[in-house]
Amino acid sequence: MLGEDHSAINEFPEYKETLEKLSKEDKNFAEKVKQYDAIDREIRKLELAGSPISDEAMHQKKHDRSVLKDELNEQLQKAARA
């Protein structure tokens, strides 16, 4: 669905406490969350504006978001097991 919120907190509701804790304790993790959320906001804004960029550029933004999401998921799972 266009304009859907895929922010980190919405994508990982089961890790809400872990997400908040890691964001406070790990600057690298916090920066990844910040990057992820910024890319997501940009994608939503572009989608709602009718995607005024090339398909290739949009695909790259979605790919970058996906890569960051995978990295965040891996770190969240590790922290939750610890």
Side-chain angles (χ1 to χ4, degrees), residues 5-6 15 21-22 35 41 43 48 62 67 73-74 82:
D5 185 354
H6 290 280
Y15 293 119
K21 182 180 179 197
L22 280 178
Q35 274 183 300
R41 280 190 304 275
I43 290 169
L48 293 173
K62 289 183 177 184
V67 168
N73 186 46
E74 184 176 327

Side-chain angles (χ1 to χ4, degrees), residues 16-69:
K16 182 180 184 225
E17 291 176 12
T18 305
L19 180 69
E20 291 170 352
K21 182 180 179 197
L22 280 178
S23 292
K24 289 178 185 174
E25 297 174 355
D26 184 335
K27 289 182 182 183
N28 184 42
F29 180 83
E31 184 59 35
K32 284 183 184 181
V33 171
K34 187 177 177 180
Q35 274 183 300
Y36 176 86
D37 285 343
I39 291 170
D40 181 59
R41 280 190 304 275
E42 186 176 4
I43 290 169
R44 280 194 319 244
K45 184 178 177 181
L46 289 166
E47 286 177 340
L48 293 173
S51 299
I53 62 173
S54 70
D55 287 345
E56 185 177 309
M58 182 64 90
H59 177 75
Q60 185 62 51
K61 289 182 183 305
K62 289 183 177 184
H63 171 77
D64 294 345
R65 180 179 64 182
S66 178
V67 168
L68 280 169
K69 182 180 177 182

